[in-house]
Short mmCIF file of all heavy atoms in Angstrom, two decimals:
data_model
loop_
_atom_site.label_atom_id
_atom_site.label_comp_id
_atom_site.label_asym_id
_atom_site.label_seq_id
_atom_site.Cartn_x
_atom_site.Cartn_y
_atom_site.Cartn_z
N SER J 575 9.14 4.71 36.39
CA SER J 575 8.12 3.65 36.19
C SER J 575 7.99 2.90 37.51
O SER J 575 6.73 2.54 37.81
CB SER J 575 8.67 2.73 35.13
OG SER J 575 9.87 2.08 35.43
N LEU J 576 8.95 2.69 38.29
CA LEU J 576 8.84 1.99 39.57
C LEU J 576 7.97 2.85 40.57
O LEU J 576 7.10 2.31 41.33
CB LEU J 576 10.20 1.70 40.22
CG LEU J 576 11.04 0.67 39.49
CD1 LEU J 576 12.42 0.57 40.10
CD2 LEU J 576 10.34 -0.69 39.48
N GLN J 577 8.15 4.18 40.50
CA GLN J 577 7.34 4.97 41.38
C GLN J 577 5.90 5.13 40.98
O GLN J 577 5.04 5.19 41.80
CB GLN J 577 7.97 6.40 41.38
CG GLN J 577 9.32 6.49 42.10
CD GLN J 577 9.96 7.79 41.85
OE1 GLN J 577 9.40 8.78 41.39
NE2 GLN J 577 11.29 7.89 42.35
N SER J 578 5.67 5.03 39.67
CA SER J 578 4.33 5.17 39.13
C SER J 578 3.48 3.86 39.15
O SER J 578 2.26 3.94 39.29
CB SER J 578 4.36 5.66 37.68
OG SER J 578 5.00 6.92 37.62
N ASP J 579 4.14 2.73 39.09
CA ASP J 579 3.48 1.45 38.99
C ASP J 579 3.96 0.55 40.16
O ASP J 579 5.06 -0.08 40.10
CB ASP J 579 3.79 0.79 37.69
CG ASP J 579 2.84 -0.39 37.34
OD1 ASP J 579 2.42 -1.07 38.39
OD2 ASP J 579 2.45 -0.69 36.25
N LYS J 580 3.08 0.43 41.16
CA LYS J 580 3.55 -0.32 42.40
C LYS J 580 3.39 -1.83 42.22
O LYS J 580 3.81 -2.64 43.14
CB LYS J 580 2.69 0.18 43.57
CG LYS J 580 2.84 1.64 43.93
CD LYS J 580 4.31 2.00 44.18
CE LYS J 580 4.45 3.51 44.59
NZ LYS J 580 5.86 3.79 44.73
N THR J 581 2.92 -2.30 41.00
CA THR J 581 2.88 -3.75 40.76
C THR J 581 4.19 -4.16 40.35
O THR J 581 4.46 -5.43 40.29
CB THR J 581 1.86 -4.05 39.72
OG1 THR J 581 2.27 -3.56 38.47
CG2 THR J 581 0.52 -3.53 40.10
N LEU J 582 5.24 -3.30 40.03
CA LEU J 582 6.55 -3.73 39.63
C LEU J 582 7.42 -3.99 40.79
O LEU J 582 7.30 -3.29 41.83
CB LEU J 582 7.13 -2.70 38.69
CG LEU J 582 6.32 -2.17 37.53
CD1 LEU J 582 7.13 -1.11 36.78
CD2 LEU J 582 5.97 -3.32 36.55
N ASP J 583 8.31 -5.02 40.70
CA ASP J 583 9.16 -5.40 41.78
C ASP J 583 10.51 -4.70 41.63
O ASP J 583 11.35 -5.11 40.72
CB ASP J 583 9.35 -6.93 41.73
CG ASP J 583 10.09 -7.40 42.98
OD1 ASP J 583 10.67 -6.61 43.71
OD2 ASP J 583 10.13 -8.67 43.22
N PRO J 584 10.88 -3.71 42.39
CA PRO J 584 12.13 -3.01 42.29
C PRO J 584 13.33 -3.84 42.55
O PRO J 584 14.43 -3.45 42.32
CB PRO J 584 11.96 -1.79 43.25
CG PRO J 584 10.95 -2.31 44.23
CD PRO J 584 10.03 -3.22 43.51
N LYS J 585 13.11 -4.97 43.28
CA LYS J 585 14.19 -5.82 43.68
C LYS J 585 14.60 -6.81 42.57
O LYS J 585 15.64 -7.54 42.67
CB LYS J 585 13.92 -6.49 44.97
CG LYS J 585 13.76 -5.59 46.16
CD LYS J 585 13.48 -6.32 47.48
CE LYS J 585 13.34 -5.42 48.65
NZ LYS J 585 13.07 -6.14 49.85
N ARG J 586 13.77 -6.85 41.51
CA ARG J 586 14.07 -7.82 40.46
C ARG J 586 14.15 -7.06 39.10
O ARG J 586 13.13 -7.08 38.29
CB ARG J 586 13.06 -9.00 40.44
CG ARG J 586 13.16 -9.89 41.58
CD ARG J 586 12.31 -11.16 41.41
NE ARG J 586 10.91 -10.88 41.39
CZ ARG J 586 9.97 -11.73 40.99
NH1 ARG J 586 10.32 -12.90 40.49
NH2 ARG J 586 8.72 -11.42 41.12
N LEU J 587 15.26 -6.38 38.87
CA LEU J 587 15.43 -5.65 37.70
C LEU J 587 16.57 -6.29 36.84
O LEU J 587 17.56 -6.72 37.37
CB LEU J 587 15.86 -4.20 37.99
CG LEU J 587 14.87 -3.16 38.53
CD1 LEU J 587 15.63 -1.90 38.86
CD2 LEU J 587 13.74 -3.00 37.58
N ALA J 588 16.33 -6.36 35.52
CA ALA J 588 17.33 -6.83 34.60
C ALA J 588 17.39 -5.89 33.44
O ALA J 588 16.43 -5.12 33.18
CB ALA J 588 16.96 -8.23 34.09
N VAL J 589 18.47 -5.88 32.68
CA VAL J 589 18.57 -4.94 31.60
C VAL J 589 19.16 -5.69 30.37
O VAL J 589 20.00 -6.58 30.49
CB VAL J 589 19.55 -3.75 31.92
CG1 VAL J 589 20.95 -4.28 32.23
CG2 VAL J 589 19.57 -2.77 30.79
N ILE J 590 18.50 -5.47 29.16
CA ILE J 590 18.95 -6.15 27.94
C ILE J 590 19.03 -5.03 26.82
O ILE J 590 18.38 -4.04 26.92
CB ILE J 590 18.05 -7.26 27.52
CG1 ILE J 590 16.57 -6.70 27.12
CG2 ILE J 590 17.85 -8.30 28.58
CD1 ILE J 590 15.70 -7.77 26.57
N GLY J 591 19.82 -5.32 25.76
CA GLY J 591 19.96 -4.45 24.66
C GLY J 591 21.01 -4.90 23.70
O GLY J 591 21.81 -5.71 24.02
N GLY J 592 20.92 -4.31 22.51
CA GLY J 592 22.00 -4.64 21.42
C GLY J 592 22.66 -3.46 20.92
O GLY J 592 22.08 -2.35 20.87
N SER J 593 23.94 -3.58 20.52
CA SER J 593 24.73 -2.44 19.95
C SER J 593 24.82 -1.32 20.98
O SER J 593 25.27 -1.52 22.09
CB SER J 593 24.10 -1.99 18.62
OG SER J 593 24.92 -1.13 17.93
N HIS J 594 24.26 -0.20 20.64
CA HIS J 594 24.34 0.88 21.67
C HIS J 594 23.40 0.66 22.85
O HIS J 594 23.66 1.05 23.96
CB HIS J 594 23.84 2.27 21.08
CG HIS J 594 24.17 3.40 21.87
ND1 HIS J 594 25.45 4.06 21.88
CD2 HIS J 594 23.46 4.19 22.74
CE1 HIS J 594 25.43 5.09 22.70
NE2 HIS J 594 24.25 5.17 23.25
N GLY J 595 22.40 -0.23 22.63
CA GLY J 595 21.58 -0.71 23.71
C GLY J 595 22.42 -1.63 24.61
O GLY J 595 22.24 -1.67 25.87
N GLY J 596 23.30 -2.39 24.06
CA GLY J 596 24.24 -3.22 24.85
C GLY J 596 25.24 -2.36 25.58
O GLY J 596 25.63 -2.64 26.76
N PHE J 597 25.71 -1.34 24.86
CA PHE J 597 26.64 -0.43 25.53
C PHE J 597 25.97 0.25 26.73
O PHE J 597 26.64 0.25 27.82
CB PHE J 597 26.87 0.75 24.46
CG PHE J 597 27.58 2.01 24.91
CD1 PHE J 597 28.96 2.02 25.03
CD2 PHE J 597 26.82 3.12 25.24
CE1 PHE J 597 29.59 3.28 25.35
CE2 PHE J 597 27.40 4.30 25.60
CZ PHE J 597 28.80 4.40 25.70
N LEU J 598 24.70 0.64 26.65
CA LEU J 598 24.05 1.28 27.85
C LEU J 598 23.74 0.18 28.87
O LEU J 598 23.83 0.48 30.08
CB LEU J 598 22.77 1.96 27.34
CG LEU J 598 22.92 3.13 26.48
CD1 LEU J 598 21.56 3.73 26.13
CD2 LEU J 598 23.74 4.24 27.19
N SER J 599 23.44 -1.01 28.47
CA SER J 599 23.09 -2.08 29.44
C SER J 599 24.39 -2.39 30.32
O SER J 599 24.32 -2.45 31.55
CB SER J 599 22.74 -3.38 28.76
OG SER J 599 21.60 -3.25 27.99
N CYS J 600 25.55 -2.46 29.71
CA CYS J 600 26.83 -2.65 30.43
C CYS J 600 27.24 -1.45 31.29
O CYS J 600 27.77 -1.58 32.38
CB CYS J 600 27.92 -3.09 29.51
SG CYS J 600 27.59 -4.65 28.66
N HIS J 601 26.90 -0.24 30.78
CA HIS J 601 27.11 0.95 31.60
C HIS J 601 26.24 0.96 32.85
O HIS J 601 26.71 1.27 33.96
CB HIS J 601 26.71 2.26 30.80
CG HIS J 601 27.93 2.92 30.26
ND1 HIS J 601 28.94 3.41 31.04
CD2 HIS J 601 28.28 3.28 29.00
CE1 HIS J 601 29.87 4.06 30.33
NE2 HIS J 601 29.53 3.98 29.08
N LEU J 602 24.97 0.65 32.70
CA LEU J 602 23.98 0.61 33.81
C LEU J 602 24.43 -0.31 34.94
O LEU J 602 24.34 0.01 36.11
CB LEU J 602 22.60 0.31 33.33
CG LEU J 602 21.88 1.40 32.57
CD1 LEU J 602 20.76 0.85 31.81
CD2 LEU J 602 21.39 2.54 33.58
N ILE J 603 24.86 -1.52 34.59
CA ILE J 603 25.23 -2.50 35.64
C ILE J 603 26.62 -2.11 36.25
O ILE J 603 26.92 -2.60 37.36
CB ILE J 603 25.32 -3.94 35.12
CG1 ILE J 603 26.30 -4.03 33.92
CG2 ILE J 603 23.91 -4.37 34.67
CD1 ILE J 603 26.56 -5.53 33.47
N GLY J 604 27.41 -1.25 35.54
CA GLY J 604 28.60 -0.74 36.17
C GLY J 604 28.42 0.51 36.97
O GLY J 604 29.01 0.70 38.09
N GLN J 605 27.55 1.39 36.47
CA GLN J 605 27.37 2.74 37.20
C GLN J 605 26.29 2.54 38.35
O GLN J 605 26.33 3.34 39.27
CB GLN J 605 26.89 3.74 36.21
CG GLN J 605 27.99 4.15 35.21
CD GLN J 605 27.60 5.37 34.44
OE1 GLN J 605 27.02 6.32 34.96
NE2 GLN J 605 27.99 5.42 33.10
N TYR J 606 25.43 1.59 38.15
CA TYR J 606 24.33 1.31 39.19
C TYR J 606 24.36 -0.14 39.59
O TYR J 606 23.42 -0.90 39.34
CB TYR J 606 22.94 1.75 38.68
CG TYR J 606 22.92 3.20 38.17
CD1 TYR J 606 23.08 3.51 36.90
CD2 TYR J 606 22.68 4.27 39.14
CE1 TYR J 606 23.03 4.79 36.44
CE2 TYR J 606 22.61 5.56 38.65
CZ TYR J 606 22.84 5.89 37.30
OH TYR J 606 22.75 7.16 36.90
N PRO J 607 25.50 -0.60 40.11
CA PRO J 607 25.63 -2.03 40.32
C PRO J 607 24.66 -2.68 41.29
O PRO J 607 24.40 -3.86 41.28
CB PRO J 607 27.03 -2.17 40.91
CG PRO J 607 27.38 -0.79 41.51
CD PRO J 607 26.62 0.22 40.65
N ASP J 608 24.03 -1.88 42.20
CA ASP J 608 23.08 -2.42 43.13
C ASP J 608 21.61 -2.46 42.63
O ASP J 608 20.78 -2.97 43.32
CB ASP J 608 23.16 -1.61 44.45
CG ASP J 608 24.47 -1.69 45.14
OD1 ASP J 608 25.14 -2.84 45.07
OD2 ASP J 608 24.99 -0.68 45.75
N SER J 609 21.42 -1.98 41.43
CA SER J 609 20.10 -1.83 40.92
C SER J 609 19.68 -3.05 40.11
O SER J 609 18.52 -3.45 40.09
CB SER J 609 19.95 -0.57 40.02
OG SER J 609 20.02 0.58 40.77
N TYR J 610 20.64 -3.70 39.43
CA TYR J 610 20.29 -4.69 38.47
C TYR J 610 20.88 -6.11 38.90
O TYR J 610 22.04 -6.18 39.32
CB TYR J 610 20.83 -4.29 37.09
CG TYR J 610 20.25 -3.07 36.61
CD1 TYR J 610 20.85 -1.75 36.76
CD2 TYR J 610 19.02 -3.05 35.95
CE1 TYR J 610 20.24 -0.62 36.44
CE2 TYR J 610 18.42 -1.86 35.55
CZ TYR J 610 19.07 -0.62 35.74
OH TYR J 610 18.48 0.57 35.38
N ARG J 611 20.02 -7.08 38.63
CA ARG J 611 20.49 -8.49 39.07
C ARG J 611 20.87 -9.38 37.89
O ARG J 611 21.32 -10.44 38.05
CB ARG J 611 19.32 -9.12 39.79
CG ARG J 611 19.08 -8.41 41.17
CD ARG J 611 17.96 -9.04 41.95
NE ARG J 611 17.99 -10.48 42.12
CZ ARG J 611 17.14 -11.21 42.76
NH1 ARG J 611 16.08 -10.64 43.29
NH2 ARG J 611 17.24 -12.56 42.88
N ALA J 612 20.63 -8.84 36.68
CA ALA J 612 21.07 -9.64 35.51
C ALA J 612 21.20 -8.69 34.30
O ALA J 612 20.53 -7.65 34.21
CB ALA J 612 20.03 -10.71 35.19
N CYS J 613 22.03 -9.11 33.31
CA CYS J 613 22.21 -8.37 32.10
C CYS J 613 22.39 -9.30 30.93
O CYS J 613 23.10 -10.35 31.01
CB CYS J 613 23.42 -7.42 32.25
SG CYS J 613 23.95 -6.56 30.71
N ALA J 614 21.76 -8.91 29.72
CA ALA J 614 21.99 -9.67 28.50
C ALA J 614 22.27 -8.68 27.43
O ALA J 614 21.35 -7.89 27.11
CB ALA J 614 20.76 -10.58 28.20
N ALA J 615 23.47 -8.72 26.79
CA ALA J 615 23.87 -7.70 25.86
C ALA J 615 24.30 -8.44 24.47
O ALA J 615 24.99 -9.38 24.56
CB ALA J 615 25.07 -6.92 26.35
N ARG J 616 23.72 -7.86 23.39
CA ARG J 616 24.02 -8.37 22.09
C ARG J 616 25.00 -7.43 21.38
O ARG J 616 24.66 -6.20 21.19
CB ARG J 616 22.74 -8.51 21.23
CG ARG J 616 21.81 -9.62 21.80
CD ARG J 616 20.46 -9.63 21.05
NE ARG J 616 19.66 -8.48 21.34
CZ ARG J 616 19.41 -7.49 20.48
NH1 ARG J 616 20.00 -7.50 19.30
NH2 ARG J 616 18.72 -6.47 20.82
#
Side-chain angles (χ1 to χ4, degrees):
S575 64
L576 292 175
Q577 293 170 6
S578 299
D579 192 330
K580 299 303 181 183
T581 67
L582 306 179
D583 187 349
K585 296 181 179 179
R586 289 192 292 167
L587 287 178
V589 60
I590 66 174
S593 190
H594 194 82
F597 168 86
L598 293 179
S599 298
C600 295
H601 258 302
L602 285 162
I603 59 174
Q605 293 191 38
Y606 304 95
D608 296 323
S609 294
Y610 298 93
R611 291 177 55 180
C613 170
R616 294 174 290 107

